[in-house]
Amino acid sequence: MANNSKSDKRKPLKLKTGSFDRNAAMARMGVMAGASYATHTFGNLFRNKSDREARNREFYVRQAQFLADELGQLKGSVMKVGQMLSVYGQYFMPPEAIEVLRSLQDDSPPVAWDDLAPVVRERLGAERLAELEIDEEPLAAASLGQVHRARRKSDGRELCIKIQYPQLADAIDSDIRTLTNIVRLARLVPKGIELNAIMEEVREMIYREVDYDRELRMTREFGERLAHDDRYVVPEVFPEYSTETVLVTSFEAASHVQSEAVKALAQPRRNRLGGAALELFFLEFFDWGIVQTDPHFGNYKIRVDEAGDDDKFVLLDFGATREFAPRFLGAYYDTVAGAFEYDQDKLIDGAIGISLLRRDSPQQVFDDFAKVGMLIIEPFTKEPPAEFATADHQYKWGESDLFWRVSRAVQDAAISRWFRIPPREIVFLHRRLGGVFVLMSVLDAEYNAHDMLAHYLYQEHGRIRPDAGSEASKDDV
């Protein structure tokens, strides 16, 4: 569950769960979005080209802000769709609109306890509920549910209760149909984009995240897989208190990655945490084929060791966990290996295999794409660029401007029209990978992961590393 530091300061929402309330609110959104577009289009008739482009950018921001404000009040699947549009939209929406929609990831007011208490009583039953003392103030609030702290009376065990908002699952299909029309009316998606296909993928993702039985299994599985690795803590699950829409786990004390306690850690301790963050992703991706795809910092907290230097990651919220098919993973491994080895042919073949590129693309597109791929691999080179490296060749994640350079390289190459909107596997995988990079930057880690990536690419999978390996020159590309 994503953490919301503002939740204790913001006025709780009265949840609109009735079909009439929700439909009325969404109908209003559609009317206002359509009227706004009509006004904007009429105004553009009297502007020159440069003014139209500037006004278009402003219009997209206004429409996205309107959508974000309205969805944030409705909660449920409509808000989640807005969040997912900020993930998918990076491939086809204006950057200004994406920035606005991303605010939905972090800015979710809680729902009033009075709306949730009857639901919890019904779902747990009077006997089970009587065993617990529940704090009415939420620890965290998100689009699909919120978390409350509790104490088991019999032994004082501290628990977390994740509560799905009432009637949420029943409204998913109708919400997505209505919101699809609203997004079209708001003109946030350009012509030629298969919005229905995108929304169908979002729909499947939302159904996965509201399946608390599955999340309980995934939490337990991650706990078992990491049980013998003292760098990570996974909450214990309590099936006796859990239902399809209520998930109860142990409460695990930890600090936010951006907290003063974490910032105050010595460099070696932050480096160790950075290595643990990277290796967790490599374990999930290369070894397990099971990846927790939500990179929100609220899901990756840090338990600071006050008595020593044994800091740990506390891993939360496994609702967005995805399983990846071996065939997809094999092609993706080739893509990564191609970049790691500076082997353009292998990189391009892998990118085609995972539907990032079209085989009929011009050679210049392949060349430009390879340059971008080999730029992304920069933190995993044996000797990173001097301006981002320590004397012993550790990569300075906090000082790197890699994201900006990659974005600039893609824009300069002008190859976007040859990209397909990637399949959902890639969208959510890259979402998590980008989150790892941001986490390393926030930790201000100094860490060279060359040997770690080589281990998972080759030793772990019995692959033979070419003689040239990563020692080849970038000039050979």
Side-chain angles (χ1 to χ4, degrees), residues 279-309:
E279 186 151 21
L280 177 62
F281 175 74
F282 287 161
L283 280 168
E284 294 177 32
F285 178 57
F286 287 104
D287 277 10
W288 307 345
I290 303 173
V291 181
Q292 201 287 72
T293 61
D294 186 353
H296 194 284
F297 282 169
N299 299 337
Y300 297 89
K301 293 190 172 183
I302 295 172
R303 181 174 295 170
V304 174
D305 182 7
E306 302 293 347
D309 59 1

PDB file of all heavy atoms in Angstrom, residues 279-309:
ATOM      1  N   GLU A 279      19.819  -5.726  -6.240  1.00  0.00           N
ATOM      2  CA  GLU A 279      19.824  -7.183  -6.279  1.00  0.00           C
ATOM      3  C   GLU A 279      18.423  -7.763  -6.110  1.00  0.00           C
ATOM      4  O   GLU A 279      18.114  -8.813  -6.682  1.00  0.00           O
ATOM      5  CB  GLU A 279      20.763  -7.764  -5.220  1.00  0.00           C
ATOM      6  CG  GLU A 279      20.911  -9.265  -5.337  1.00  0.00           C
ATOM      7  CD  GLU A 279      22.230  -9.795  -4.848  1.00  0.00           C
ATOM      8  OE1 GLU A 279      22.902  -9.106  -4.066  1.00  0.00           O
ATOM      9  OE2 GLU A 279      22.591 -10.921  -5.257  1.00  0.00           O
ATOM     10  N   LEU A 280      17.572  -7.096  -5.358  1.00  0.00           N
ATOM     11  CA  LEU A 280      16.199  -7.570  -5.244  1.00  0.00           C
ATOM     12  C   LEU A 280      15.526  -7.587  -6.614  1.00  0.00           C
ATOM     13  O   LEU A 280      14.848  -8.565  -6.974  1.00  0.00           O
ATOM     14  CB  LEU A 280      15.408  -6.679  -4.280  1.00  0.00           C
ATOM     15  CG  LEU A 280      13.926  -7.027  -4.121  1.00  0.00           C
ATOM     16  CD1 LEU A 280      13.754  -8.431  -3.549  1.00  0.00           C
ATOM     17  CD2 LEU A 280      13.217  -5.993  -3.253  1.00  0.00           C
ATOM     18  N   PHE A 281      15.721  -6.513  -7.389  1.00  0.00           N
ATOM     19  CA  PHE A 281      15.141  -6.493  -8.738  1.00  0.00           C
ATOM     20  C   PHE A 281      15.732  -7.609  -9.593  1.00  0.00           C
ATOM     21  O   PHE A 281      15.006  -8.288 -10.334  1.00  0.00           O
ATOM     22  CB  PHE A 281      15.381  -5.143  -9.401  1.00  0.00           C
ATOM     23  CG  PHE A 281      14.912  -5.095 -10.830  1.00  0.00           C
ATOM     24  CD1 PHE A 281      13.562  -5.021 -11.123  1.00  0.00           C
ATOM     25  CD2 PHE A 281      15.820  -5.160 -11.877  1.00  0.00           C
ATOM     26  CE1 PHE A 281      13.117  -4.998 -12.440  1.00  0.00           C
ATOM     27  CE2 PHE A 281      15.388  -5.133 -13.195  1.00  0.00           C
ATOM     28  CZ  PHE A 281      14.036  -5.054 -13.476  1.00  0.00           C
ATOM     29  N   PHE A 282      17.034  -7.820  -9.530  1.00  0.00           N
ATOM     30  CA  PHE A 282      17.666  -8.872 -10.327  1.00  0.00           C
ATOM     31  C   PHE A 282      17.160 -10.255  -9.916  1.00  0.00           C
ATOM     32  O   PHE A 282      16.946 -11.125 -10.763  1.00  0.00           O
ATOM     33  CB  PHE A 282      19.189  -8.811 -10.178  1.00  0.00           C
ATOM     34  CG  PHE A 282      19.823  -7.653 -10.890  1.00  0.00           C
ATOM     35  CD1 PHE A 282      21.099  -7.225 -10.550  1.00  0.00           C
ATOM     36  CD2 PHE A 282      19.155  -6.958 -11.887  1.00  0.00           C
ATOM     37  CE1 PHE A 282      21.697  -6.165 -11.210  1.00  0.00           C
ATOM     38  CE2 PHE A 282      19.732  -5.895 -12.549  1.00  0.00           C
ATOM     39  CZ  PHE A 282      21.011  -5.493 -12.201  1.00  0.00           C
ATOM     40  N   LEU A 283      16.976 -10.471  -8.623  1.00  0.00           N
ATOM     41  CA  LEU A 283      16.420 -11.743  -8.159  1.00  0.00           C
ATOM     42  C   LEU A 283      15.035 -11.976  -8.750  1.00  0.00           C
ATOM     43  O   LEU A 283      14.735 -13.054  -9.269  1.00  0.00           O
ATOM     44  CB  LEU A 283      16.346 -11.754  -6.628  1.00  0.00           C
ATOM     45  CG  LEU A 283      17.615 -12.052  -5.850  1.00  0.00           C
ATOM     46  CD1 LEU A 283      17.408 -11.734  -4.371  1.00  0.00           C
ATOM     47  CD2 LEU A 283      18.026 -13.513  -6.022  1.00  0.00           C
ATOM     48  N   GLU A 284      14.188 -10.959  -8.643  1.00  0.00           N
ATOM     49  CA  GLU A 284      12.820 -11.086  -9.144  1.00  0.00           C
ATOM     50  C   GLU A 284      12.808 -11.345 -10.646  1.00  0.00           C
ATOM     51  O   GLU A 284      12.086 -12.222 -11.135  1.00  0.00           O
ATOM     52  CB  GLU A 284      12.033  -9.814  -8.819  1.00  0.00           C
ATOM     53  CG  GLU A 284      11.812  -9.573  -7.339  1.00  0.00           C
ATOM     54  CD  GLU A 284      11.101  -8.256  -7.073  1.00  0.00           C
ATOM     55  OE1 GLU A 284      10.280  -7.823  -7.904  1.00  0.00           O
ATOM     56  OE2 GLU A 284      11.375  -7.624  -6.032  1.00  0.00           O
ATOM     57  N   PHE A 285      13.602 -10.573 -11.371  1.00  0.00           N
ATOM     58  CA  PHE A 285      13.561 -10.612 -12.828  1.00  0.00           C
ATOM     59  C   PHE A 285      14.312 -11.816 -13.400  1.00  0.00           C
ATOM     60  O   PHE A 285      13.773 -12.585 -14.203  1.00  0.00           O
ATOM     61  CB  PHE A 285      14.133  -9.307 -13.381  1.00  0.00           C
ATOM     62  CG  PHE A 285      14.190  -9.246 -14.878  1.00  0.00           C
ATOM     63  CD1 PHE A 285      13.044  -9.422 -15.633  1.00  0.00           C
ATOM     64  CD2 PHE A 285      15.383  -9.000 -15.529  1.00  0.00           C
ATOM     65  CE1 PHE A 285      13.087  -9.368 -17.024  1.00  0.00           C
ATOM     66  CE2 PHE A 285      15.436  -8.935 -16.914  1.00  0.00           C
ATOM     67  CZ  PHE A 285      14.292  -9.123 -17.659  1.00  0.00           C
ATOM     68  N   PHE A 286      15.545 -12.009 -13.005  1.00  0.00           N
ATOM     69  CA  PHE A 286      16.374 -13.044 -13.599  1.00  0.00           C
ATOM     70  C   PHE A 286      16.124 -14.432 -13.010  1.00  0.00           C
ATOM     71  O   PHE A 286      16.167 -15.433 -13.727  1.00  0.00           O
ATOM     72  CB  PHE A 286      17.866 -12.706 -13.435  1.00  0.00           C
ATOM     73  CG  PHE A 286      18.344 -11.594 -14.315  1.00  0.00           C
ATOM     74  CD1 PHE A 286      18.576 -10.330 -13.801  1.00  0.00           C
ATOM     75  CD2 PHE A 286      18.568 -11.800 -15.666  1.00  0.00           C
ATOM     76  CE1 PHE A 286      19.021  -9.295 -14.614  1.00  0.00           C
ATOM     77  CE2 PHE A 286      19.009 -10.784 -16.496  1.00  0.00           C
ATOM     78  CZ  PHE A 286      19.242  -9.525 -15.964  1.00  0.00           C
ATOM     79  N   ASP A 287      15.872 -14.504 -11.708  1.00  0.00           N
ATOM     80  CA  ASP A 287      15.760 -15.819 -11.063  1.00  0.00           C
ATOM     81  C   ASP A 287      14.325 -16.307 -10.926  1.00  0.00           C
ATOM     82  O   ASP A 287      14.032 -17.475 -11.169  1.00  0.00           O
ATOM     83  CB  ASP A 287      16.400 -15.775  -9.669  1.00  0.00           C
ATOM     84  CG  ASP A 287      17.906 -15.962  -9.729  1.00  0.00           C
ATOM     85  OD1 ASP A 287      18.458 -15.929 -10.843  1.00  0.00           O
ATOM     86  OD2 ASP A 287      18.527 -16.132  -8.662  1.00  0.00           O
ATOM     87  N   TRP A 288      13.430 -15.429 -10.503  1.00  0.00           N
ATOM     88  CA  TRP A 288      12.078 -15.867 -10.170  1.00  0.00           C
ATOM     89  C   TRP A 288      11.096 -15.692 -11.310  1.00  0.00           C
ATOM     90  O   TRP A 288      10.122 -16.454 -11.384  1.00  0.00           O
ATOM     91  CB  TRP A 288      11.545 -15.099  -8.952  1.00  0.00           C
ATOM     92  CG  TRP A 288      12.428 -15.122  -7.743  1.00  0.00           C
ATOM     93  CD1 TRP A 288      13.487 -15.962  -7.489  1.00  0.00           C
ATOM     94  CD2 TRP A 288      12.332 -14.246  -6.609  1.00  0.00           C
ATOM     95  NE1 TRP A 288      14.058 -15.663  -6.276  1.00  0.00           N
ATOM     96  CE2 TRP A 288      13.365 -14.610  -5.706  1.00  0.00           C
ATOM     97  CE3 TRP A 288      11.490 -13.207  -6.270  1.00  0.00           C
ATOM     98  CZ2 TRP A 288      13.558 -13.970  -4.494  1.00  0.00           C
ATOM     99  CZ3 TRP A 288      11.670 -12.560  -5.063  1.00  0.00           C
ATOM    100  CH2 TRP A 288      12.703 -12.937  -4.183  1.00  0.00           C
ATOM    101  N   GLY A 289      11.283 -14.685 -12.152  1.00  0.00           N
ATOM    102  CA  GLY A 289      10.278 -14.354 -13.164  1.00  0.00           C
ATOM    103  C   GLY A 289       9.015 -13.814 -12.524  1.00  0.00           C
ATOM    104  O   GLY A 289       7.942 -13.829 -13.116  1.00  0.00           O
ATOM    105  N   ILE A 290       9.140 -13.287 -11.307  1.00  0.00           N
ATOM    106  CA  ILE A 290       8.008 -12.714 -10.559  1.00  0.00           C
ATOM    107  C   ILE A 290       8.467 -11.360 -10.041  1.00  0.00           C
ATOM    108  O   ILE A 290       9.391 -11.291  -9.221  1.00  0.00           O
ATOM    109  CB  ILE A 290       7.599 -13.613  -9.378  1.00  0.00           C
ATOM    110  CG1 ILE A 290       7.262 -15.022  -9.865  1.00  0.00           C
ATOM    111  CG2 ILE A 290       6.419 -13.009  -8.628  1.00  0.00           C
ATOM    112  CD1 ILE A 290       7.013 -15.998  -8.726  1.00  0.00           C
ATOM    113  N   VAL A 291       7.841 -10.292 -10.506  1.00  0.00           N
ATOM    114  CA  VAL A 291       8.314  -8.944 -10.199  1.00  0.00           C
ATOM    115  C   VAL A 291       7.200  -8.121  -9.561  1.00  0.00           C
ATOM    116  O   VAL A 291       6.087  -8.071 -10.082  1.00  0.00           O
ATOM    117  CB  VAL A 291       8.818  -8.233 -11.475  1.00  0.00           C
ATOM    118  CG1 VAL A 291       9.322  -6.833 -11.138  1.00  0.00           C
ATOM    119  CG2 VAL A 291       9.917  -9.055 -12.148  1.00  0.00           C
ATOM    120  N   GLN A 292       7.517  -7.501  -8.441  1.00  0.00           N
ATOM    121  CA  GLN A 292       6.600  -6.538  -7.836  1.00  0.00           C
ATOM    122  C   GLN A 292       6.781  -5.241  -8.618  1.00  0.00           C
ATOM    123  O   GLN A 292       7.818  -4.595  -8.536  1.00  0.00           O
ATOM    124  CB  GLN A 292       6.976  -6.334  -6.354  1.00  0.00           C
ATOM    125  CG  GLN A 292       5.856  -5.769  -5.480  1.00  0.00           C
ATOM    126  CD  GLN A 292       5.577  -4.307  -5.720  1.00  0.00           C
ATOM    127  OE1 GLN A 292       5.025  -3.949  -6.755  1.00  0.00           O
ATOM    128  NE2 GLN A 292       5.921  -3.447  -4.788  1.00  0.00           N
ATOM    129  N   THR A 293       5.764  -4.839  -9.399  1.00  0.00           N
ATOM    130  CA  THR A 293       5.955  -3.800 -10.406  1.00  0.00           C
ATOM    131  C   THR A 293       5.583  -2.385  -9.948  1.00  0.00           C
ATOM    132  O   THR A 293       5.622  -1.461 -10.759  1.00  0.00           O
ATOM    133  CB  THR A 293       5.148  -4.129 -11.678  1.00  0.00           C
ATOM    134  OG1 THR A 293       3.751  -4.178 -11.356  1.00  0.00           O
ATOM    135  CG2 THR A 293       5.592  -5.459 -12.271  1.00  0.00           C
ATOM    136  N   ASP A 294       5.214  -2.207  -8.688  1.00  0.00           N
ATOM    137  CA  ASP A 294       4.861  -0.875  -8.204  1.00  0.00           C
ATOM    138  C   ASP A 294       6.049  -0.300  -7.431  1.00  0.00           C
ATOM    139  O   ASP A 294       6.354  -0.745  -6.327  1.00  0.00           O
ATOM    140  CB  ASP A 294       3.632  -0.942  -7.300  1.00  0.00           C
ATOM    141  CG  ASP A 294       3.145   0.449  -6.887  1.00  0.00           C
ATOM    142  OD1 ASP A 294       3.835   1.442  -7.191  1.00  0.00           O
ATOM    143  OD2 ASP A 294       2.071   0.536  -6.269  1.00  0.00           O
ATOM    144  N   PRO A 295       6.748   0.704  -7.993  1.00  0.00           N
ATOM    145  CA  PRO A 295       7.973   1.205  -7.366  1.00  0.00           C
ATOM    146  C   PRO A 295       7.764   2.302  -6.328  1.00  0.00           C
ATOM    147  O   PRO A 295       8.714   2.943  -5.908  1.00  0.00           O
ATOM    148  CB  PRO A 295       8.747   1.761  -8.573  1.00  0.00           C
ATOM    149  CG  PRO A 295       7.663   2.305  -9.458  1.00  0.00           C
ATOM    150  CD  PRO A 295       6.488   1.353  -9.294  1.00  0.00           C
ATOM    151  N   HIS A 296       6.516   2.552  -5.933  1.00  0.00           N
ATOM    152  CA  HIS A 296       6.234   3.630  -4.990  1.00  0.00           C
ATOM    153  C   HIS A 296       7.103   3.471  -3.738  1.00  0.00           C
ATOM    154  O   HIS A 296       7.237   2.377  -3.197  1.00  0.00           O
ATOM    155  CB  HIS A 296       4.757   3.599  -4.609  1.00  0.00           C
ATOM    156  CG  HIS A 296       4.297   4.835  -3.910  1.00  0.00           C
ATOM    157  ND1 HIS A 296       4.597   5.099  -2.591  1.00  0.00           N
ATOM    158  CD2 HIS A 296       3.553   5.889  -4.335  1.00  0.00           C
ATOM    159  CE1 HIS A 296       4.050   6.253  -2.237  1.00  0.00           C
ATOM    160  NE2 HIS A 296       3.411   6.746  -3.284  1.00  0.00           N
ATOM    161  N   PHE A 297       7.692   4.581  -3.284  1.00  0.00           N
ATOM    162  CA  PHE A 297       8.582   4.524  -2.120  1.00  0.00           C
ATOM    163  C   PHE A 297       7.881   3.982  -0.875  1.00  0.00           C
ATOM    164  O   PHE A 297       8.531   3.434   0.020  1.00  0.00           O
ATOM    165  CB  PHE A 297       9.135   5.919  -1.813  1.00  0.00           C
ATOM    166  CG  PHE A 297      10.257   6.346  -2.729  1.00  0.00           C
ATOM    167  CD1 PHE A 297      10.707   7.652  -2.724  1.00  0.00           C
ATOM    168  CD2 PHE A 297      10.856   5.439  -3.590  1.00  0.00           C
ATOM    169  CE1 PHE A 297      11.736   8.057  -3.563  1.00  0.00           C
ATOM    170  CE2 PHE A 297      11.877   5.823  -4.436  1.00  0.00           C
ATOM    171  CZ  PHE A 297      12.322   7.134  -4.424  1.00  0.00           C
ATOM    172  N   GLY A 298       6.554   4.141  -0.814  1.00  0.00           N
ATOM    173  CA  GLY A 298       5.833   3.596   0.329  1.00  0.00           C
ATOM    174  C   GLY A 298       5.901   2.087   0.420  1.00  0.00           C
ATOM    175  O   GLY A 298       5.621   1.509   1.471  1.00  0.00           O
ATOM    176  N   ASN A 299       6.287   1.434  -0.682  1.00  0.00           N
ATOM    177  CA  ASN A 299       6.394  -0.026  -0.695  1.00  0.00           C
ATOM    178  C   ASN A 299       7.799  -0.512  -0.407  1.00  0.00           C
ATOM    179  O   ASN A 299       8.025  -1.725  -0.315  1.00  0.00           O
ATOM    180  CB  ASN A 299       5.958  -0.565  -2.063  1.00  0.00           C
ATOM    181  CG  ASN A 299       4.517  -0.227  -2.382  1.00  0.00           C
ATOM    182  OD1 ASN A 299       3.714   0.018  -1.478  1.00  0.00           O
ATOM    183  ND2 ASN A 299       4.175  -0.207  -3.661  1.00  0.00           N
ATOM    184  N   TYR A 300       8.755   0.413  -0.294  1.00  0.00           N
ATOM    185  CA  TYR A 300      10.156   0.051  -0.061  1.00  0.00           C
ATOM    186  C   TYR A 300      10.710   0.933   1.051  1.00  0.00           C
ATOM    187  O   TYR A 300      11.476   1.866   0.822  1.00  0.00           O
ATOM    188  CB  TYR A 300      10.974   0.213  -1.352  1.00  0.00           C
ATOM    189  CG  TYR A 300      10.518  -0.713  -2.447  1.00  0.00           C
ATOM    190  CD1 TYR A 300       9.513  -0.324  -3.339  1.00  0.00           C
ATOM    191  CD2 TYR A 300      11.068  -1.979  -2.591  1.00  0.00           C
ATOM    192  CE1 TYR A 300       9.066  -1.170  -4.328  1.00  0.00           C
ATOM    193  CE2 TYR A 300      10.619  -2.844  -3.587  1.00  0.00           C
ATOM    194  CZ  TYR A 300       9.622  -2.429  -4.447  1.00  0.00           C
ATOM    195  OH  TYR A 300       9.172  -3.278  -5.433  1.00  0.00           O
ATOM    196  N   LYS A 301      10.329   0.623   2.268  1.00  0.00           N
ATOM    197  CA  LYS A 301      10.769   1.408   3.410  1.00  0.00           C
ATOM    198  C   LYS A 301      12.057   0.818   3.988  1.00  0.00           C
ATOM    199  O   LYS A 301      12.475  -0.284   3.613  1.00  0.00           O
ATOM    200  CB  LYS A 301       9.666   1.471   4.450  1.00  0.00           C
ATOM    201  CG  LYS A 301       8.452   2.254   3.982  1.00  0.00           C
ATOM    202  CD  LYS A 301       7.485   2.510   5.122  1.00  0.00           C
ATOM    203  CE  LYS A 301       6.380   3.453   4.691  1.00  0.00           C
ATOM    204  NZ  LYS A 301       5.459   3.767   5.813  1.00  0.00           N
ATOM    205  N   ILE A 302      12.657   1.558   4.886  1.00  0.00           N
ATOM    206  CA  ILE A 302      13.956   1.157   5.422  1.00  0.00           C
ATOM    207  C   ILE A 302      13.897   1.135   6.942  1.00  0.00           C
ATOM    208  O   ILE A 302      13.483   2.113   7.577  1.00  0.00           O
ATOM    209  CB  ILE A 302      15.067   2.106   4.940  1.00  0.00           C
ATOM    210  CG1 ILE A 302      15.228   1.980   3.415  1.00  0.00           C
ATOM    211  CG2 ILE A 302      16.386   1.813   5.646  1.00  0.00           C
ATOM    212  CD1 ILE A 302      16.153   2.998   2.800  1.00  0.00           C
ATOM    213  N   ARG A 303      14.304   0.007   7.503  1.00  0.00           N
ATOM    214  CA  ARG A 303      14.419  -0.117   8.960  1.00  0.00           C
ATOM    215  C   ARG A 303      15.867   0.189   9.335  1.00  0.00           C
ATOM    216  O   ARG A 303      16.777  -0.605   9.094  1.00  0.00           O
ATOM    217  CB  ARG A 303      14.023  -1.514   9.417  1.00  0.00           C
ATOM    218  CG  ARG A 303      14.110  -1.701  10.934  1.00  0.00           C
ATOM    219  CD  ARG A 303      13.571  -3.061  11.342  1.00  0.00           C
ATOM    220  NE  ARG A 303      12.144  -3.161  11.063  1.00  0.00           N
ATOM    221  CZ  ARG A 303      11.451  -4.300  11.130  1.00  0.00           C
ATOM    222  NH1 ARG A 303      12.077  -5.435  11.425  1.00  0.00           N
ATOM    223  NH2 ARG A 303      10.159  -4.300  10.873  1.00  0.00           N
ATOM    224  N   VAL A 304      16.066   1.351   9.902  1.00  0.00           N
ATOM    225  CA  VAL A 304      17.409   1.787  10.274  1.00  0.00           C
ATOM    226  C   VAL A 304      17.843   1.076  11.549  1.00  0.00           C
ATOM    227  O   VAL A 304      17.102   1.018  12.531  1.00  0.00           O
ATOM    228  CB  VAL A 304      17.439   3.313  10.478  1.00  0.00           C
ATOM    229  CG1 VAL A 304      18.793   3.761  10.998  1.00  0.00           C
ATOM    230  CG2 VAL A 304      17.099   4.025   9.167  1.00  0.00           C
ATOM    231  N   ASP A 305      19.036   0.511  11.512  1.00  0.00           N
ATOM    232  CA  ASP A 305      19.597  -0.183  12.671  1.00  0.00           C
ATOM    233  C   ASP A 305      20.240   0.857  13.589  1.00  0.00           C
ATOM    234  O   ASP A 305      21.313   1.378  13.297  1.00  0.00           O
ATOM    235  CB  ASP A 305      20.632  -1.204  12.209  1.00  0.00           C
ATOM    236  CG  ASP A 305      21.224  -1.996  13.368  1.00  0.00           C
ATOM    237  OD1 ASP A 305      20.742  -1.839  14.510  1.00  0.00           O
ATOM    238  OD2 ASP A 305      22.188  -2.754  13.131  1.00  0.00           O
ATOM    239  N   GLU A 306      19.578   1.151  14.697  1.00  0.00           N
ATOM    240  CA  GLU A 306      20.071   2.183  15.604  1.00  0.00           C
ATOM    241  C   GLU A 306      21.322   1.750  16.349  1.00  0.00           C
ATOM    242  O   GLU A 306      22.098   2.586  16.821  1.00  0.00           O
ATOM    243  CB  GLU A 306      18.975   2.560  16.620  1.00  0.00           C
ATOM    244  CG  GLU A 306      17.687   3.061  15.999  1.00  0.00           C
ATOM    245  CD  GLU A 306      17.853   4.405  15.298  1.00  0.00           C
ATOM    246  OE1 GLU A 306      18.903   5.050  15.504  1.00  0.00           O
ATOM    247  OE2 GLU A 306      16.946   4.798  14.535  1.00  0.00           O
ATOM    248  N   ALA A 307      21.540   0.437  16.457  1.00  0.00           N
ATOM    249  CA  ALA A 307      22.656  -0.066  17.253  1.00  0.00           C
ATOM    250  C   ALA A 307      23.860  -0.488  16.418  1.00  0.00           C
ATOM    251  O   ALA A 307      24.892  -0.866  16.972  1.00  0.00           O
ATOM    252  CB  ALA A 307      22.194  -1.243  18.116  1.00  0.00           C
ATOM    253  N   GLY A 308      23.718  -0.453  15.113  1.00  0.00           N
ATOM    254  CA  GLY A 308      24.822  -0.903  14.278  1.00  0.00           C
ATOM    255  C   GLY A 308      24.655  -0.425  12.851  1.00  0.00           C
ATOM    256  O   GLY A 308      24.267   0.720  12.615  1.00  0.00           O
ATOM    257  N   ASP A 309      24.931  -1.317  11.894  1.00  0.00           N
ATOM    258  CA  ASP A 309      24.800  -0.931  10.484  1.00  0.00           C
ATOM    259  C   ASP A 309      24.024  -1.973   9.687  1.00  0.00           C
ATOM    260  O   ASP A 309      24.169  -2.077   8.477  1.00  0.00           O
ATOM    261  CB  ASP A 309      26.174  -0.711   9.859  1.00  0.00           C
ATOM    262  CG  ASP A 309      27.062  -1.944   9.926  1.00  0.00           C
ATOM    263  OD1 ASP A 309      26.613  -2.984  10.445  1.00  0.00           O
ATOM    264  OD2 ASP A 309      28.208  -1.866   9.439  1.00  0.00           O
TER     265      ASP A 309
END
